[in-house]
């Protein structure tokens, strides 16, 4: 039996919620891959905790997207029955865990943004998004603290950890620009005070980040080239493998209740 | 973290271990008093508990692997979050238990090294593979169920830190067990395919779960002194029977068949199970279970690949301390 991908009516609000839900799910999934394999038990706990926060955010956003869309989609159909081209997450969050430095740099880049983003979104005229923002903001603040502390330890630790942290920053930097990009649909939501302009956060994001990087005795790259495409479903090759695993049960045993 | 602040080293005990102290110690145990880290205790009591608590901790940590195997493939977001939270709980139990073991004077690093080098054991059940989603339900239902049977009496163990750890651990385990049973219930009320998946999992896990209670009383090495010291309050066979009696009606409610055609209910209501194949248990303990090599390899890999991270954290902490000292001196 063929398992069809679902059709999604991507109205501006549905698409907006799906993009943030996909960010949270994919990053949460990546972090959950560490569970049982982290450098120390305390990190098995911490990374699982952050993953759980993110998966929780994803579930709320998917559920809201389903409600706005008003069809028979739900959180699981969005997560398990869309293929790579239908996923709308940032390229940054789908990048593989790599070593612990890569995972932490990815987290720092994302959380430094998410912290500002969710705080700003608390003023959204959309009551549901504002409520999700209020909860996510608290979570993001501690995700940011956790990642910052690790980057400082790694940067100012040993020669090896410093080299790995710098390598991870250089590797992942080109995926940060996408966080601040806005398309036409989102522009309309920003005008309607439903969404906030992420571009307005870039200065503060850079300030937060620079302070951490400086204390870690590391450097931010000087290159301006930024990789984009995730928001419109043009992903890296990594996402397909992640989804093959994530969706394997739903694809193998279609239409069942678990 | 080391436990140098605690003042009883094993070497001192040996010199002091006179009959009067031992008698006083046993009197406290008999009066159901809790023994605390700084109290005098026989060296053998310390050794037995260090072994038992650390094995228990290792089991929690190795136990993260078979269940962790399904976190990335859980069939719904609700199941994914619940499983991740569950495996995280097991990690928390491990940490908590290592801390309890450290109060007896051996560091977590030493205990973990003993596990990684294969010197220390962990529960044999985690050397079996999780092949389908139903295995996740079965582990919650049966493996955590068996663990609860073993651990409820440990809440009254004579050693205070272990007893207190067990109270918290048991609360979380009973939640895990209900969660596992609910997975099974969903499968058994689902399609034929799902029900077959549930039965297959029960078939594979039933006998290894019965082995979790340890060798039969007639051949058990540790029970006598452990009972005298009130570390252990029920024998292996007693706990195993309790577990079987509790589990058979649960399987019946699910509509699943226990894979033991010889099982009968006796006049007292006890379900009598067939002979357990102890040669399989011995093989698994000897390192020849289906996943022994994989489990140890995974723990070693995490440990080795994490070494540079732990070194960095230590180096950074040392630098910070040095800077503070330098600042204070200015």
């Amino acid at each position: 039996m063929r398992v069809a991908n679902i059709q999604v009516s991507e109205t501006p609000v549905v698409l907006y919620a799906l993009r943030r839900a996909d960010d949270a799910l994919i990053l949460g999934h990546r972090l959950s891959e560490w569970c049982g394999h982290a450098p120390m038990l305390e990190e098995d706990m911490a990374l699982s905790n952050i993953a759980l926060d993110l998966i929780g955010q994803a579930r709320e956003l998917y559920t809201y997207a389903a409600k706005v869309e008003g069809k028979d989609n739900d959180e699981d159909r969005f997560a398990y029955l869309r293929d790579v081209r239908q996923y709308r997450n940032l390229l940054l969050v789908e990048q593989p865990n790599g070593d612990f430095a890569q995972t932490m740099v990815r987290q720092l880049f994302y959380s430094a943004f998410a912290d500002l983003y969710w705080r700003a979104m608390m003023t959204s005229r959309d009551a549901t998004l504002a409520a999700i923002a209020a909860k996510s903001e608290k979570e993001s603040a501690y995700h940011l603290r956790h990642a910052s502390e690790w980057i400082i330890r790694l940067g100012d630790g040993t020669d090896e950890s410093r080299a790995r942290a710098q390598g991870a920053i250089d590797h992942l930097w080109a995926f940060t620009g996408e966080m601040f990009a806005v398309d036409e649909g989102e522009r309309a939501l920003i005008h309607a005070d439903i969404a906030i302009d992420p571009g307005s956060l870039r200065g503060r994001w850079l300030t937060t980040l620079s302070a951490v990087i400086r204390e870690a005795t590391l450097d931010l790259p000087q290159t301006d080239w930024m990789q984009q495409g995730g928001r419109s479903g043009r992903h890296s090759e990594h996402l397909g493998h992640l989804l093959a695993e994530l969706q394997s049960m739903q694809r193998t045993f279609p239409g069942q209740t678990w | 973290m080391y436990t140098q602040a605690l003042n009883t080293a094993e070497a001192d005990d040996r010199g002091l271990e006179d009959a009067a102290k031992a008698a006083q110690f046993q009197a406290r145990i008999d009066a159901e008093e809790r023994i605390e880290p700084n109290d005098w205790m026989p060296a053998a009591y310390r050794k037995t508990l260090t072994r038992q608590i650390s094995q228990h901790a290792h089991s929690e940590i190795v136990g993260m692997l078979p269940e962790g195997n399904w976190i990335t493939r859980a069939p719904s977001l609700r199941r994914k979050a619940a499983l991740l939270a569950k495996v995280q709980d097991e990690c928390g139990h491990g940490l908590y238990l290592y801390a309890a073991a450290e109060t007896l004077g051996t560091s977590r690093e030493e205990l973990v090294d003993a596990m990684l080098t294969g010197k220390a054991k962990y529960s044999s059940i985690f050397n079996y593979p999780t092949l389908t989603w139903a295995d996740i339900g079965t582990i919650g239902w049966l493996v955590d169920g068996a663990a609860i049977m073993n651990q409820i009496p440990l809440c009254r163990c004579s050693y205070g830190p272990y007893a207190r750890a067990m109270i918290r651990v048991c609360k979380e385990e009973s939640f895990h067990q209900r969660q596992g049973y609910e997975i099974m219930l969903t499968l058994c009320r689902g399609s034929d395919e799902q029900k077959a998946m549930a039965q297959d999992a029960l078939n594979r896990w039933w006998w290894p779960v019965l082995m979790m209670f340890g060798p039969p009383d007639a051949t058990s090495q540790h029970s006598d002194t452990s009972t005298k010291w009130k570390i252990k309050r029920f024998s292996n066979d007693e706990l195993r029977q309790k577990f079987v009696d509790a589990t058979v009606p649960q399987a019946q409610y699910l509509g699943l068949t226990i894979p033991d055609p010889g099982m009968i209910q006796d006049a007292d209501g006890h379900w009598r199970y067939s002979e357990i194949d102890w040669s399989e248990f011995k093989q698994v303990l000897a390192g020849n279970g289906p996943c022994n090599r994989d489990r140890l390899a995974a723990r070693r890999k995490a440990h080795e690949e994490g070494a540079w991270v732990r070194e960095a954290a230590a180096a950074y902490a040392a630098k910070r301390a040095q800077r503070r000292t330098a600042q204070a001196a200015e």
Side-chain angles (χ1 to χ4, degrees), chain A residues 29 35-36 39 42 45 49 52 76 80 152-153 156-157 160-161 164 245-246 249-250 253 256-258, chain B residues 72-77 79-81 87-88 92 108 186 191 193-194 197 299 308 310 312 316 319 323:
Chain A
H29 182 97
C35 186
E42 286 80 355
M45 302 278 286
N49 228 48
L52 278 167
D76 286 331
Y80 293 96
I152 293 166
R153 275 185 212 116
D156 196 14
E160 180 180 7
S161 68
R164 285 177 185 260
E245 194 170 339
L246 174 82
M249 287 290 288
Q250 294 283 347
F253 304 99
Q256 309 203 15
T257 304
W258 301 96
Chain B
T72 53
R73 290 179 291 165
S76 72
L77 293 182
R79 294 293 186 202
K80 189 183 187 70
V87 179
Q88 187 195 30
R108 178 167 134 196
T186 307
S191 65
E193 210 172 10
Q194 286 173 306
M197 192 188 274
R299 286 313 309 161
W308 70 269
R310 297 189 299 275
Y316 175 72
K319 279 188 204 175
R323 280 175 209 147

Side-chain angles (χ1 to χ4, degrees), chain B residues 253-274:
Chain B
Y253 184 77
L254 291 172
L256 296 177
T257 309
I258 304 264
D260 179 359
M263 183 179 265
I264 46 156
Q265 196 172 22
D266 69 14
D268 301 332
H270 293 299
W271 289 93
R272 300 298 176 193
Y273 47 89
S274 304

